Amino acid sequence: MSAHSFDGSYPQLRMRRLRRTPMLRRLMAETTLNASDLILPVFVREGIDVPQQILSLPRVLQHTIGSLVQQARELVVLGVPAMMLFGVPSQKDPRGSGAYDPDGIVQVALREVRNAVGDDLVLIADLCIDEYTDHGHCGLLTESGEVDNDATIEIYGQIACVQAEAGADIVAPSGMMDGQVSAIRSALDKNGHHETAILAYAAKYASSFYGPFRDAVDVTIADGGDRRGYQQDFSNSREALREVALDISEGADMVMVKPALPYLDIISKVRSTFNVPVAAYQVSGEYSMICAAAENGWLDRESAAIETLTAIKRAGADQILTYFAAEIALRLRS
Ligand code: PBG
């Protein structure tokens, strides 16, 4: 038998050969994080003259229109393709009317940013009313205080239309109401917005990791309430696949899993089951945990950010919403 034939004895396997130098590791990388994978969530607040810091979300700002436009131009330079807008209105009311007012803060911001950057940035509008309601829920309430699903999705349709008119490329319903995607699709189509896409927050869990976000948008849920009646239970994964299947059948162009890092199994299952773009949202609490540990010197901020974002991509996310987007895009360039 020749020395090269297969005789059942293997050469000693050495996994380390391909890890020896930085360039070998680069060549072998199965997953590479790019600026083009990232979407920056941004907050724009009505009635302020200077951007405001958010205590529980370090380095993230409540923008003025002016500073938001500046941020948008910076993303274009950095090669980050998209931003997702959240509004903080100066007045809240039971119906969240600032969300569907054509002159509401997000609509004004969409027009200004579009004016400034044209099509060099994809503009995604979060579509929900919790930032705009005085009770802090994502839907309208009945007299007995229940979230009224069907009345809410009618309002969502109106919001989608004003956002599309103001220049949103994509609307992103985050309220987890049943039937919201089809209500929004038919409202958009009825008003001629056939080109406006829908990114459905399809598998959105009721999560403690949204804490800092609620500071960012000044939301307190009335009477110590929570969102477990409409957002998903973190014990479940098969249910997430049903949610995603429903949203796709209702017309979602893309779907989202949220939060990201504690839900990598969900991202992976959604990716392997469906054939639409899958986004994942590294939410405020995921970001702030890294910030807080880094501020204490307990871990390195940038490496932890890149590792978590790469893990989210490795699990199957095609796009990642992250408060690190600009910072990490800059780092990836250098
Ligand atoms: C609801 C909404 C929330 C987030 C995005 N959209 C909060 C919630 O559901 O309570 C959270 C995002 C984050 O934590 O970064 N409109």
Side-chain angles (χ1 to χ4, degrees), residues 86 126 128 130-131 138 174 201 204 209-211 213-214 227 231 258 281-285 323:
F86 292 94
D126 179 82
C128 196
D130 66 318
E131 297 93 7
C138 299
S174 61
Y201 285 67
K204 176 174 178 182
F209 291 99
Y210 305 150
F213 173 92
R214 295 189 188 152
R227 307 208 196 289
Q231 298 178 347
K258 175 185 175 187
Y281 197 147
Q282 181 181 53
V283 300
S284 57
Y323 301 98

Side-chain angles (χ1 to χ4, degrees), residues 88-107:
V88 188
S90 46
Q91 303 274 348
K92 303 192 187 219
D93 59 38
R95 297 181 61 79
S97 59
Y100 51 89
D101 178 347
D103 293 318
I105 182 64
V106 160
Q107 284 67 256

Side-chain angles (χ1 to χ4, degrees), residues 94-288:
R95 297 181 61 79
S97 59
Y100 51 89
D101 178 347
D103 293 318
I105 182 64
V106 160
Q107 284 67 256
V108 173
L110 284 165
R111 284 192 288 268
E112 293 288 330
V113 174
R114 180 63 77 211
N115 240 342
V117 299
D119 280 338
D120 289 346
L121 197 62
V122 174
L123 302 184
I124 309 175
D126 179 82
L127 195 169
C128 196
I129 59 172
D130 66 318
E131 297 93 7
Y132 302 88
T133 53
D134 50 12
H135 47 72
H137 275 292
C138 299
L140 301 175
L141 300 184
T142 61
E143 270 177 24
S144 58
E146 302 288 310
V147 172
D148 185 341
N149 192 90
D150 295 2
T152 301
I153 62 178
E154 232 182 275
I155 296 268
Y156 286 179
Q158 291 178 40
I159 303 174
C161 291
V162 295
Q163 291 178 337
E165 267 146 40
D169 297 294
I170 302 176
V171 297
S174 61
M176 292 296 281
M177 298 297 130
D178 286 324
Q180 61 184 16
V181 173
S182 64
I184 289 167
R185 185 72 271 159
S186 66
L188 285 171
D189 288 346
K190 224 177 278 162
N191 289 277
H193 301 297
H194 304 284
E195 299 303 328
T196 308
I198 300 176
L199 162 57
Y201 285 67
K204 176 174 178 182
Y205 286 86
S207 171
S208 46
F209 291 99
Y210 305 150
F213 173 92
R214 295 189 188 152
D215 291 340
V217 292
D218 295 334
V219 167
T220 311
I221 306 175
D223 307 321
D226 59 49
R227 307 208 196 289
R228 285 183 281 195
Y230 38 102
Q231 298 178 347
Q232 275 187 249
D233 179 345
F234 56 70
S235 315
N236 299 344
S237 72
R238 294 190 300 269
E239 186 189 14
L241 298 181
R242 291 173 59 208
E243 282 281 5
V244 171
L246 269 172
D247 282 358
I248 293 173
S249 73
E250 289 180 28
D253 300 281
M254 316 165 58
V255 295
M256 189 201 295
V257 175
K258 175 185 175 187
L261 201 63
Y263 297 86
L264 294 183
D265 58 325
I266 310 297
I267 296 172
S268 168
K269 278 185 186 155
V270 171
R271 169 70 295 155
S272 59
T273 310
F274 302 98
N275 234 333
V276 296
V278 177
Y281 197 147
Q282 181 181 53
V283 300
S284 57
E286 297 179 72
Y287 170 85
S288 295

